[in-house]
Amino acid sequence: MFGKRTEITEQTAKRPERTVAANEAASRVPAAAPAHAPPPSSPNPEKKKSEEYYVTKSVIFGALIEAIDIAQLSKLDPENAREEIRDIVNEIVAIKNVVMSISEQEELLDDICNDVLGYGPLEPLLVRDDIADIMVNGALKTYIEVSGKIQLTNIRFRDNAQLMNICQRIVSQVGRRVDDASPICDARLLDGSRVNVIAPPLAIDGPALTIRKFKKDKLTLDQLTRFGSISQPGSELLKIIGRVRCNVLISGGTGSGKTTLLNCLTNYIDHDERVITCEDAAELQLQQDHVVRLETRPPNLEGQGAVTMRDLVKNCLRMRPERIIVGEVRGPEAFDLLQAMNTGHDGSMGTLHANSPREALGRLESMITMGGFTLPAKTIRDMIVSSIDVIIQAARLRDGSRRITHVTEVVGTEGDVVTLQDLFVYEILGEDANGKIIGRHRSTGIGRPRMWERARYFGEDERLAAALDAAEVQEGH
């Protein structure tokens, strides 16, 4: 079918004896490996993939590339292409007299298919739904985050060139590039997972690839309640906040679950509202029909054509939005988002990096100042108070668990200080014998929050009162 495939035996026979001998020597190595490798039932699979395994894989991979026509292969659907590659690899293994067990050969076949058609050694990690982050530090070290804890895996790449090739394959799918001229790149996978690549010479030990994965099934607030991230009354409060069009800022550290929480809140936006999202790399998974997704663009090779987050937020105002959602506020676009929140776009949302609600306001003020706006500090704070209604703080605790630690209202100013009031907080009570943190969500006892009139306008005042009362009852237990 591929032209070259029928000539594989002749090609192998015509190679110089030195090349054939080298291939045979490489192919004989895996035959001895099982004697030193642990049995298949061993819980530690790292010893199976020795240096000899990668040498053998490299030899067979090279023969495969010579034997197939990549252009013809690309025309097949993935399933047929995978079967074709498996057939050819089996022929190469037979011709080169590679002695391998059935399980070893299957593993080799899967690895080579992933190298040709997918993301190489990353494929087994990408299909796992329990992994939150994949961190590749050069060709030889790959870490993952599972249940909030970082673990070293046995995944490795053939060399830095293979890793760089996979990085370029990922970013090219969304029209971006990573090379010596542009060594830093933000991109995404087809499922919305966030990707960051930093390549040499900036990354000294080889390309560094970071993937923030999202679960295949979209999380809801009810699921976060079952996970313990928020209590049931707290979940009801967040649903009301999303429903009554409060302007919300979600604050938290890296990996604390800000984007996940933002996705959950958008589930309670009415389906007849027009929502526009602005992101550096599109990762939000909104659950509405009427959504317009916008994404920034880096400059081209000549340094021209960049479209910044601020450009997108300003353009949103001309698109008749009812809500504007900014994936992450990190620069001068903070000013434009506050302007939008304050000029009839109630229910707008955004996330930023901060360790507490008070620090989140300080960061907003700093970002506006760094953007070159020569406004007095009091003017900026008054703008923040009139624009933002609620700050939701997310945190990843030391045991790896993620919790919503504060639901805080922005009340007003006293002099030059912005006044905040906590509606819900998370209290740490201790830890169990396994090191897991024990805590509880509780209401602070505020019976009539600032959003009361807004809740009453939307007919949610009784539900809001019930949620606050339920949390106070829980506090007594």
Side-chain angles (χ1 to χ4, degrees):
M1 177 182 292
F2 298 107
K4 290 187 179 181
R5 181 182 174 184
T6 57
E7 302 170 11
I8 182 171
T9 306
E10 296 176 10
Q11 288 178 353
T12 307
K14 291 179 182 178
R15 289 176 188 158
E17 291 184 5
R18 182 170 57 83
T19 306
V20 176
N23 288 344
E24 291 177 351
S27 67
R28 284 197 298 268
V29 171
H36 302 285
S41 59
S42 170
N44 180 14
E46 287 191 36
K47 295 181 183 178
K48 283 188 176 181
K49 290 193 176 181
S50 62
E51 191 64 36
E52 292 82 356
Y53 171 86
Y54 290 100
V55 171
T56 303
K57 175 184 167 185
S58 180
V59 171
I60 295 176
F61 184 81
L64 172 69
I65 295 302
E66 292 181 12
I68 63 175
D69 186 337
I70 298 294
Q72 292 294 325
L73 187 69
S74 63
K75 296 178 182 178
L76 296 178
D77 62 83
E79 191 60 36
N80 287 334
R82 186 171 288 265
E83 286 302 318
E84 197 67 34
I85 290 173
R86 290 174 71 90
D87 291 343
I88 300 173
V89 169
N90 282 327
E91 289 181 16
I92 296 172
V93 168
I95 290 170
K96 293 184 177 296
N97 296 322
V98 178
V99 181
M100 307 180 80
S101 67
I102 295 177
S103 61
E104 288 173 325
Q105 190 164 335
E106 283 297 317
E107 186 176 11
L108 181 69
L109 287 167
D110 287 339
D111 283 355
I112 291 179
C113 285
N114 290 337
D115 286 348
V116 177
L117 301 174
Y119 300 133
L122 294 177
E123 285 290 337
L125 303 180
L126 292 172
V127 298
R128 286 178 53 181
D129 207 32
D130 61 329
I131 294 177
D133 285 274
I134 301 172
M135 296 150 279
V136 182
N137 303 349
L140 302 181
K141 286 188 177 179
T142 300
Y143 293 85
I144 58 174
E145 181 194 313
V146 179
S147 301
K149 295 294 186 179
I150 293 178
Q151 306 170 4
L152 177 65
T153 71
N154 65 333
I155 299 296
R156 54 166 284 187
F157 294 80
R158 185 169 60 251
D159 49 34
N160 283 331
Q162 184 197 15
L163 173 56
M164 192 65 187
N165 181 50
I166 289 173
C167 292
Q168 290 169 338
R169 191 181 302 174
I170 290 172
V171 303
S172 65
Q173 291 181 331
V174 290
R176 302 197 176 186
R177 62 188 177 86
V178 57
D179 49 34
D180 290 345
S182 178
I184 299 177
C185 182
D186 287 315
R188 67 181 188 276
L189 298 180
L190 297 179
D191 64 356
S193 296
R194 183 195 314 163
V195 176
N196 175 266
V197 180
I198 180 164
L202 303 187
I204 297 171
D205 299 320
L209 170 66
T210 309
I211 301 176
R212 170 67 54 80
K213 285 179 78 272
F214 293 105
K215 290 185 177 295
K216 294 181 178 63
D217 299 325
K218 296 176 183 177
L219 288 175
T220 64
L221 281 176
D222 292 334
Q223 288 174 300
L224 294 185
T225 303
R226 290 198 294 272
F227 297 154
S229 297
I230 187 69
S231 64
Q232 182 60 43
S235 175
E236 285 298 311
L237 176 61
L238 295 183
K239 292 176 184 178
I240 294 168
I241 288 171
R243 168 80 176 83
V244 303
R245 298 177 66 110
C246 288
N247 291 325
V248 178
L249 193 62
I250 299 175
S251 165
T254 300
S256 58
K258 301 185 296 298
T259 304
T260 298
L261 181 56
L262 183 56
N263 281 329
C264 291
L265 283 179
T266 60
N267 193 36
Y268 302 96
I269 296 175
D270 289 343
H271 286 269
D272 59 351
E273 294 185 37
R274 177 175 169 85
V275 181
I276 301 179
T277 69
C278 304
E279 302 174 81
D280 279 320
E283 56 185 322
L284 291 174
Q285 299 172 317
L286 268 66
Q287 302 171 33
Q288 271 66 37
D289 294 327
H290 197 166
V291 176
V292 180
R293 304 168 68 206
L294 306 179
E295 186 176 56
T296 60
R297 186 178 69 184
N300 58 20
L301 284 170
E302 290 77 30
Q304 305 297 320
V307 179
T308 66
M309 182 69 77
R310 192 172 180 207
D311 294 331
L312 294 184
V313 175
K314 286 196 293 187
N315 190 73
C316 281
L317 302 178
R318 306 185 185 99
M319 297 175 65
R320 203 246 176 232
E322 288 182 291
R323 299 199 194 211
I324 298 173
I325 297 179
V326 177
E328 184 173 338
V329 182
R330 62 179 76 179
E333 68 272 6
F335 179 81
D336 299 287
L337 179 62
L338 292 182
Q339 290 280 73
M341 288 178 168
N342 202 19
T343 54
H345 304 94
D346 292 340
S348 296
M349 303 178 186
T351 73
L352 61 75
H353 284 264
N355 295 321
S356 69
R358 175 70 61 186
E359 288 184 27
L361 296 183
R363 282 216 66 209
L364 264 185
E365 187 174 337
S366 298
M367 286 186 283
I368 293 173
T369 304
M370 290 170 62
F373 300 99
T374 56
L375 298 173
K378 188 175 189 312
T379 302
I380 296 176
R381 289 168 191 164
D382 288 344
M383 183 187 303
I384 291 173
V385 168
S386 62
S387 302
I388 298 175
D389 298 312
V390 177
I391 301 173
I392 304 173
Q393 182 70 34
R396 183 173 59 178
L397 306 182
R398 67 175 186 271
D399 64 349
S401 60
R402 292 172 171 84
R403 296 287 183 268
I404 296 171
T405 59
H406 294 79
V407 179
T408 302
E409 280 192 306
V410 180
V411 178
T413 57
E414 291 184 3
D416 289 337
V417 179
V418 178
T419 307
L420 304 177
Q421 69 177 12
D422 294 330
L423 299 182
F424 263 71
V425 295
Y426 179 74
E427 287 184 340
I428 296 177
L429 304 177
E431 61 180 63
D432 62 17
N434 298 320
K436 290 291 185 182
I437 289 178
I438 300 172
R440 66 178 179 181
H441 290 91
R442 67 171 183 85
S443 166
T444 57
I446 293 175
R448 193 179 179 88
R450 187 187 180 209
M451 70 175 79
W452 185 268
E453 289 303 320
R454 184 186 292 271
R456 198 162 115 191
Y457 175 75
F458 283 89
E460 298 283 356
D461 50 331
E462 293 184 5
R463 193 172 158 207
L464 175 59
L468 295 173
D469 289 345
E472 285 192 84
V473 171
Q474 286 188 350
E475 186 181 2
H477 287 288

